[in-house]
Amino acid sequence: PWSALLHTFWPSSIQALQSLIFFMALRVLFLILALLAAARASSPAASPDAASLLAFKSACAGAGRGTATAALDSWTESIEPCSGEWRGVTCQRSSSSSATSRVRRVVLEGVGLAGDAGAIAALADVPSLSFLSLKNNTFTGSLRDVDFSPLAPHLKLLYLSGNGFSGRFPESILRLRHLRRLDLSGNRLAGTIPPEIGHRLRALVTLHLARNSFVGSVPSSLESMPKLAEFNVSGNKLSGKIPNHLAAAFPASSFLGNPELCGAPLRRRCDGQRQRAHTDADGETPHGQGRRSSHDRWMVVMIMAAVGAAVATLIAAALCAVLCLKNKKSTRPRANSRTSSMSTSREETVRFDGCCEEFDVRALMMGAAEMLGKGAAATTYRVVMGGQHDVGDAGAEETKGDEVVVKRLRRREGATREDEGGRRELAREMGSWRHANIVDLRAFYASEEELLLVFDYIPNGSLHSLLHENRGPARAPLDWQTRLRLAQDAAQGLAYLHGVSGSRLAHRHLTSSNILIDAGGSARVSDFALLQLLVPAPPPEKALQKQDVRDFGVILLELLTGRSPEDGKVDIPRWVRTVVREEWTSEVFDVELLRTRGAEDEMVALLQVALLCAADDPRERPRMAVVSKMIEDIRDRGSKRSKCSASPSQAGCSYDSSPCASEGTTKSTTASSS
């Protein structure tokens, strides 16, 4: 019976055991698969750019330079490029959380890399690259064979200077429509600069082609590049006339070293070049032209002799007239249409246009005065002249009168009579200056002991107080449009003063405290040439105007950063260059400006102007007239942007080259472009 019972239940037991083993195996398999999936999810995704970067490393190593291999030792297959361990490589993850990181920057400057230009072709296969810098290495070969087209969607900064690249200008670079900075200087490039470069690369802010062997003319299409702020073609073999717009916007140092280049801002005139064009190939003129040239020379000599005699006669007549007028003036008081003066041999009171007719030193001294400041050489007062105490409707007393600012300058120790005469003449010249963005001199009183200068009273304080006082939660932020307008006002005022003084005078102590805000909210430059009245400047005066340009650049940086140079803790231009070099440009700007949307391009453009003004080399600083025009162009672009924002469908509105704030704006300004 037991045997029968065992035979009955044994098959079912075997089947149950088999089923149990099968289900357990499935559970183990699923567990293993889950662990593998989790391990894969936790590990970084392989970068699709690794193969291209390793190909670039192989091309550099193949050049036979040990330093090249050493510089890229961290580039290995076992480490991902976006791990942060690859030298000079920076990545950025897309907005999608599942997307892999892509290489955005490759910066390998001065690390001893070598190789043929073909090595760069490997980097052209990194499609998301926005910043490529290989400057100051020893690459060679023709760049024309490198196709940069795959980088067109994203590349904005390209620095290949200080290598040994040769051949003609790379045609494929013209397809980089978003390119903002291009530096090919210090190579062996030859041929002509593409005539259409200004039409193809309209987003360029920096173009450096210096120290190559380019020939031909400077393309006129460069004049149509609205954002171009840095330009240099010095040290080439260019010829012809410099386009007018470029001549007005950039200094002579941008064009030096081109023997056949002529026209402003260079001293080499283009007339001689046109005359040489009529000569033969061997430098000799035809026989008939030679005889005519000899005859023309004799005619020129005769004409010059006649003109010289006439000029000598006019000079003699003018001297006689001056002597006669001097004798007449000694018997009657001085007067002219612009100023009226009352003077004795030692005291003089001069009134200029816009001053009250009853002004004299007695009325000035009797006015209600308040001291505004006192220095080692001058004291400043606010004076209410001709004030009368009247009872108003509410029974309160009201004081009516002209409010002026009086600066009292003591006589310089050891000053001669000629020095005092020169000081009075300079005060007369200052009284003739009139501009909406300067503080006008209305009158002055001079004696042997002191000089009193009477200026308009500007009620709303200075730009320094507007920027730096009352910082805190209750402060009303100073918006971007107001800052840009004040910058343009100050630039126009300083440019006028530099021009009207004939490059002889300078401010010599320009700060944001010397820029005052009038009742209409406009900025006015004050105290121009005041130091010249105190301590005459030694020559050359033009160098002092370059110092004014640097000081104005610091003021622009104050407007942009919100930092004051008076705290003494930081050199603002040096700090800005350091931050920009590290590609954190957004951290430069004042926190009050971060609320402004859509003006990042204008801020970066003004930052470029400020750094150009504050250049360490005075020869690189532009004239104030050029700076004023640059700021005016920035405001014009801002106005167009505002119109397009209000009506995007309006004709002429385009956003093709507008960069995003994180890349094209906050990272496009780099110190390596300087």
Side-chain angles (χ1 to χ4, degrees):
W2 289 105
S3 177
L5 185 62
L6 181 64
H7 282 290
T8 302
F9 289 101
W10 175 256
S12 60
S13 300
I14 293 296
Q15 288 179 350
L17 183 61
Q18 288 176 343
S19 299
L20 179 61
I21 293 174
F22 176 74
F23 284 118
M24 289 181 65
L26 282 179
R27 291 185 64 182
V28 170
L29 179 61
F30 282 129
L31 180 61
I32 293 174
L33 291 176
L35 290 175
L36 288 175
R40 178 168 183 150
S42 62
S43 64
S47 172
D49 303 320
S52 300
L53 297 176
L54 291 173
F56 171 74
K57 176 183 177 180
S58 300
C60 294
R65 291 280 298 271
T67 54
T69 306
L72 301 178
D73 278 345
S74 58
W75 291 26
T76 61
E77 295 183 8
S78 60
I79 302 175
E80 287 295 326
C82 295
S83 64
E85 299 183 22
W86 280 40
R87 181 176 185 175
V89 175
T90 305
C91 299
Q92 180 178 344
R93 185 180 293 274
S94 302
S95 58
S96 173
S97 59
S98 62
T100 58
S101 296
R102 301 305 300 261
V103 174
R104 299 301 302 269
R105 301 172 66 226
V106 175
V107 181
L108 299 167
E109 300 176 351
V111 295
L113 295 178
D116 188 76
I120 301 179
L123 295 178
D125 292 330
V126 183
S128 297
L129 199 62
S130 65
F131 184 1
L132 174 60
S133 179
L134 300 174
K135 67 180 187 178
N136 299 330
N137 288 290
T138 54
F139 288 101
T140 58
S142 174
L143 277 179
R144 197 171 180 84
D145 300 331
V146 180
D147 185 11
F148 291 92
S149 300
L151 300 176
H154 299 284
L155 190 64
K156 295 175 182 175
L157 296 92
L158 179 60
Y159 300 110
L160 301 177
S161 60
N163 286 281
F165 293 118
S166 58
R168 300 176 66 85
F169 188 96
E171 178 72 23
S172 60
I173 287 183
L174 298 179
R175 303 189 188 101
L176 304 177
R177 60 185 181 278
H178 298 304
L179 194 64
R180 290 179 167 267
R181 304 190 183 278
L182 175 61
D183 189 352
L184 300 178
S185 58
N187 286 288
R188 301 172 185 170
L189 299 175
T192 59
I193 302 174
E196 70 276 19
I197 183 172
H199 302 307
R200 302 280 296 277
L201 300 179
R202 291 184 56 82
L204 272 188
V205 176
T206 299
L207 177 60
H208 287 177
L209 302 176
R211 303 187 306 282
N212 282 287
S213 298
F214 287 114
V215 297
S217 60
V218 178
S220 59
S221 64
L222 293 171
E223 295 183 304
S224 63
M225 301 175 75
K227 301 180 180 180
L228 190 63
E230 297 180 21
F231 177 70
N232 197 329
V233 291
S234 61
N236 284 281
K237 301 176 182 178
L238 298 172
S239 60
K241 187 177 184 300
I242 299 173
N244 294 333
H245 181 75
L246 299 179
F250 301 103
S253 57
S254 297
F255 306 96
L256 293 176
N258 293 280
E260 298 299 322
L261 206 58
C262 62
L266 300 177
R267 295 182 179 179
R268 190 182 305 111
R269 298 184 60 183
C270 295
D271 296 339
Q273 202 172 41
R274 286 196 293 269
Q275 291 174 2
R276 287 195 300 271
H278 293 290
T279 62
D280 290 340
D282 58 358
E284 297 179 358
T285 59
H287 180 65
Q289 290 184 358
R291 287 186 299 179
R292 186 165 61 250
S293 174
S294 176
H295 175 71
D296 291 344
R297 282 197 295 271
W298 278 109
M299 290 294 295
V300 170
V301 170
M302 294 175 64
I303 292 173
M304 290 180 64
V307 171
V311 170
T313 303
L314 290 174
I315 291 175
L319 288 175
C320 293
V322 169
L323 291 175
C324 293
L325 288 174
K326 188 173 182 180
N327 292 333
K328 290 181 179 180
K329 283 186 178 181
S330 62
T331 61
R332 63 183 183 184
R334 297 173 58 184
N336 56 54
S337 59
R338 291 193 59 82
T339 67
S340 61
S341 64
M342 299 174 291
S343 64
T344 66
S345 59
R346 296 182 179 181
E347 296 184 359
E348 184 179 26
T349 302
V350 178
R351 296 189 294 268
F352 301 102
D353 291 345
C355 183
C356 50
E357 292 298 329
E358 66 274 14
F359 169 83
D360 58 23
V361 69
R362 179 179 299 179
L364 188 64
M365 293 303 180
M366 292 180 63
E370 173 192 357
M371 181 185 294
L372 299 179
K374 184 176 183 180
T379 307
T380 304
Y381 302 87
R382 181 175 71 92
V383 179
V384 181
M385 294 173 47
Q388 297 179 354
H389 296 276
D390 298 332
V391 179
D393 296 336
E397 287 191 345
E398 298 179 354
T399 301
K400 299 180 180 179
D402 295 326
E403 285 186 292
V404 295
V405 169
V406 179
K407 292 186 180 291
R408 185 180 188 184
L409 284 65
R410 291 290 186 181
R411 177 186 175 93
R412 294 197 303 266
E413 204 169 307
T416 64
R417 187 179 295 272
E418 288 76 17
D419 292 337
E420 289 301 310
R423 192 155 79 153
R424 297 187 186 190
E425 287 303 318
L426 178 54
R428 283 190 180 86
E429 181 180 353
M430 293 168 62
S432 67
W433 300 338
R434 291 293 181 269
H435 191 276
N437 298 120
I438 69 172
V439 179
D440 296 331
L441 177 64
R442 294 303 185 186
F444 75 86
Y445 164 80
S447 69
E448 287 187 341
E449 299 299 326
E450 64 184 1
L451 176 65
L452 303 180
L453 302 174
V454 182
F455 293 91
D456 285 335
Y457 175 69
I458 308 299
N460 290 345
S462 67
L463 178 61
H464 182 273
S465 62
L466 193 63
L467 280 173
H468 306 299
E469 288 184 1
N470 302 323
R471 284 270 176 173
R475 169 182 162 91
L478 189 62
D479 64 88
W480 165 245
Q481 293 300 332
T482 301
R483 299 189 193 210
L484 186 58
R485 176 175 53 79
L486 294 175
Q488 185 181 8
D489 288 348
Q492 290 176 343
L494 189 57
Y496 167 80
L497 291 168
H498 279 186
V500 75
S501 63
S503 300
R504 297 180 297 104
L505 302 173
H507 195 290
R508 298 172 60 184
H509 187 60
L510 183 65
T511 66
S512 56
S513 299
N514 301 131
I515 297 177
L516 307 182
I517 312 301
D518 64 16
S522 299
R524 295 193 180 199
V525 179
S526 68
D527 294 350
F528 185 82
L530 188 62
L531 284 179
Q532 185 75 18
L533 292 170
L534 300 172
V535 182
E541 291 83 354
K542 202 164 187 179
L544 295 176
Q545 289 198 348
K546 289 293 186 180
Q547 180 61 38
D548 283 357
V549 176
R550 187 191 186 281
D551 293 341
F552 184 78
V554 174
I555 292 173
L556 291 181
L557 293 177
E558 278 189 73
L559 284 165
L560 289 164
T561 65
R563 290 181 173 239
S564 172
E566 296 182 3
D567 57 18
K569 297 179 181 178
V570 64
D571 181 344
I572 293 184
R574 181 177 300 177
W575 172 75
V576 170
R577 291 190 188 99
T578 301
V579 176
V580 170
R581 185 181 298 114
E582 296 174 359
E583 291 298 299
W584 295 101
T585 308
S586 59
E587 295 190 1
V588 166
F589 298 120
D590 190 351
V591 293
E592 292 182 354
L593 294 177
L594 299 181
R595 308 172 187 178
T596 306
R597 299 295 181 185
E600 294 88 355
D601 277 358
E602 301 158 36
M603 296 180 193
V604 172
L606 190 64
L607 182 67
Q608 288 296 320
V609 175
L611 291 177
L612 191 63
C613 292
D616 292 332
D617 187 353
R619 295 173 297 180
E620 295 294 332
R621 301 170 193 164
R623 302 187 308 276
M624 278 308 304
V626 177
V627 175
S628 177
K629 183 63 171 63
M630 289 179 177
I631 300 177
E632 181 182 353
D633 291 342
I634 293 173
R635 284 199 72 191
D636 290 343
R637 293 203 300 269
S639 300
K640 293 178 182 177
R641 174 187 56 79
S642 300
K643 292 179 181 178
C644 291
S645 299
S647 179
S649 61
Q650 184 176 348
C653 294
S654 174
Y655 300 92
D656 291 344
S657 61
S658 299
C660 61
S662 61
E663 185 66 35
T665 302
T666 62
K667 295 187 178 182
S668 66
T669 309
T670 171
S672 57
S673 68
S674 299

